[in-house]
């Protein structure tokens, strides 16, 4: 027979159960830290470079030989001493060759120009200035359809092991200088612009060991757009063929081709606007440089986001100079640092 609870016992149990869920809460709750952590300090990076020469270098001048180029060819030859001064007696192992932009004449078509029995200038070439003058002054009777990219490709690749054998060396830096007052008209069936950029980029292991410079028209209908785009993709010096000042540009090209750099690749991605650049010359004198605000740039330095590099516009640090570039790491602000 089931047992029944008395009214008194029922009340006691009910009171006991009710007491199980009663708590004494403190009057003041503890204060906890804010959920947002304090901002991390931005990390700073310093990259330092020592300007120095490179022992093995090949240089190709691709020169427009159409009817409008007589004065430019003469100016180039007359100012070649400003270029060759960085090579003669330097101890560098260099080759300097010349081709035309004419792909219609079989005696041109990527073939190195021959002068005084040689088809490129080397450290043991007698009268290097006279040889270059003869090579560069190739007449102005060439085709009016200029194909500088195609001529460059044929010179360095298509004829590498035949007519131009011995010029291009796999262990050498490679620097090409195009001089033309017309746009490139190379057919894509030979090599397209994108194919040229990809191929040229494979000529050296290190991007710092190659350049493609353009002395062309910078404005107008005859602007050398393709050449300028290749220079922008590969790296090099851009100069207006109408500007004159051939001594100045050949001096800059000579410094660049001799292995002395004007472009410096950063080790990390910078927060743009924080980059600071200074150069300490071999005597210990430190000189600050500032980002160019001109368009196009005419002085100071510029930052190339795609190449992650800082380039001096019209200044090239001398041999033995120390280039110091300081900046805030982009990752320290975007990713929160390490």
């Amino acid at each position: 027979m089931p047992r029944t609870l008395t009214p008194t016992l029922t009340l006691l149990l009910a009171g006991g159960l009710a007491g199980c869920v009663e708590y004494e809460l403190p009057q003041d709750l503890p204060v906890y830290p804010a959920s947002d952590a304090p901002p991390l300090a931005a990390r700073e990076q310093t990259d330092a470079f020592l300007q120095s020469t490179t022992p093995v270098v090949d240089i190709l001048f691709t020169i427009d030989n159409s009817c409008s180029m007589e004065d430019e060819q003469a100016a180039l030859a007359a100012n070649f001493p400003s270029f060759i001064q960085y090579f003669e007696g330097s101890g560098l192992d260099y080759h300097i060759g010349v081709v035309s932009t004419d792909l219609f004449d079989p005696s041109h078509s990527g073939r190195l120009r021959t002068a005084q029995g040689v088809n490129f200038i080397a450290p043991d070439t007698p009268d290097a200035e006279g040889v270059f003058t003869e090579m560069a002054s190739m007449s102005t009777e060439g085709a009016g359809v200029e194909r500088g990219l195609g001529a460059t490709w044929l010179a360095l690749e298509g004829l590498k092991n035949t007519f131009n054998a011995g010029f291009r060396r796999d262990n050498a830096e490679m620097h090409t200088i195009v001089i033309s007052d017309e746009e490139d008209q190379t057919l894509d069936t030979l090599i397209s612009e994108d194919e040229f950029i990809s191929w040229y980029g494979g000529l050296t292991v290190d991007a710092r060991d190659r350049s493609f410079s353009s002395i062309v028209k910078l404005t107008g209908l005859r602007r050398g757009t393709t050449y300028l785009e290749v220079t922008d993709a590969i790296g090099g010096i851009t100069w207006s063929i109408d500007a004159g000042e051939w001594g100045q540009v050949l001096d800059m090209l000579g410094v660049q081709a001799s292995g002395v750099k004007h472009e410096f690749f950063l080790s990390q991605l910078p927060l743009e606007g924080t980059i600071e650049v200074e150069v300490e010359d071999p005597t210990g004198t430190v000189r600050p440089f500032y980002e160019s605000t001109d368009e196009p740039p005419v002085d100071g330095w510029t930052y190339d986001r795609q190449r992650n590099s800082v380039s001096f516009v019209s200044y090239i640090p001398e041999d033995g100079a120390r280039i110091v570039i300081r900046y805030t790491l982009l990752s320290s602000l975007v990713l929160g640092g390490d």
Side-chain angles (χ1 to χ4, degrees):
M1 176 176 178
R3 298 178 59 186
T4 60
L5 297 176
T6 65
T8 303
L9 181 59
T10 302
L11 290 173
L12 288 172
L13 287 173
L17 290 173
C20 292
V21 295
E22 291 180 0
Y23 299 95
E24 280 194 23
L25 296 177
Q27 295 299 315
D28 297 321
L29 295 176
V31 178
Y32 295 98
S35 59
D36 293 333
L40 296 173
R43 289 174 50 201
E44 305 297 323
Q45 174 70 21
T46 299
D47 292 339
F49 308 87
L50 184 64
Q51 186 72 289
S52 61
T53 55
T54 303
V56 185
V57 58
D58 298 334
I59 305 108
L60 180 69
F61 283 82
T62 302
I63 303 173
D64 187 342
N65 64 329
S66 63
C67 62
S68 59
M69 286 291 293
E70 182 176 0
D71 291 343
E72 289 79 5
Q73 287 183 16
L76 173 64
N79 288 278
F80 183 67
S82 295
F83 181 88
I84 195 66
Q85 66 175 318
Y86 295 100
F87 296 89
E88 292 182 318
S90 67
L92 296 172
D93 180 2
Y94 59 89
H95 289 173
I96 302 173
V98 176
V99 294
S100 77
T101 58
D102 186 348
L103 296 190
F104 292 86
D105 185 341
S107 69
H108 287 250
S109 298
R111 292 189 171 204
L112 294 170
R113 301 287 83 209
T114 300
Q116 300 184 27
V118 300
N119 62 356
F120 59 84
I121 297 168
D124 59 353
T125 301
D127 187 23
E129 294 176 15
V131 171
F132 182 84
T133 296
E134 189 174 335
M135 289 177 172
S137 304
M138 60 181 75
S139 87
T140 55
E141 299 177 358
V145 179
E146 293 86 340
R147 294 177 174 170
L149 294 190
T152 300
W153 181 84
L154 284 171
L156 300 178
E157 190 70 32
L159 302 176
K160 177 181 178 181
N161 298 318
T162 54
F163 188 87
N164 296 343
F167 172 69
R168 173 63 190 148
R169 296 162 295 178
D170 293 337
N171 66 329
E173 286 198 6
M174 185 67 236
H175 302 281
T176 297
I177 303 161
V178 170
I179 300 100
S180 178
D181 63 357
E182 290 283 355
E183 166 67 317
D184 178 67
Q185 300 177 66
T186 299
L187 297 176
D188 286 351
T189 52
L190 177 60
I191 188 168
S192 69
E193 179 184 338
D194 288 342
E195 289 170 337
F196 183 93
I197 292 170
S198 177
W199 160 75
Y200 200 95
L203 291 180
T204 64
V205 174
D206 194 327
R208 292 170 290 187
D209 293 339
R210 57 182 177 266
S211 71
F212 185 97
S213 296
S214 297
I215 303 178
V216 298
K217 285 188 174 292
L218 302 184
T219 59
L221 295 177
R222 296 159 67 189
R223 183 178 187 270
T225 300
T226 300
Y227 295 126
L228 294 170
E229 290 174 351
V230 173
T231 295
D232 185 58
I234 294 172
I237 292 171
T238 297
W239 196 263
S240 172
I241 197 169
D242 298 320
E245 302 295 337
W246 286 87
Q248 180 179 347
V249 67
L250 284 169
D251 184 88
M252 294 168 60
L253 290 165
V255 172
Q256 174 181 263
S258 64
V260 181
K261 311 299 182 186
H262 80 289
E263 180 181 19
F264 300 90
F265 293 82
L266 305 184
S267 63
Q268 306 287 335
L269 289 176
L271 178 65
E272 293 186 48
T274 68
I275 301 173
E276 297 179 353
V277 179
E278 65 181 27
V279 177
E280 180 182 346
D281 69 22
T283 69
T285 301
V286 177
R287 174 185 173 187
F289 285 80
Y290 303 95
E291 185 172 13
S292 175
T293 57
D294 301 298
E295 187 59 43
V298 295
D299 196 8
W301 54 266
T302 60
Y303 173 68
D304 187 319
R305 184 183 300 108
Q306 183 176 359
R307 294 169 64 81
N308 193 33
S309 66
V310 167
S311 297
F312 289 98
V313 177
S314 58
Y315 170 81
I316 298 180
E318 62 183 294
D319 192 20
R322 185 171 180 264
I323 300 88
V324 178
I325 304 176
R326 300 183 179 90
Y327 52 93
T328 298
L329 290 180
L330 179 63
S331 61
S332 69
L333 299 182
V334 175
L335 300 179
D338 293 334

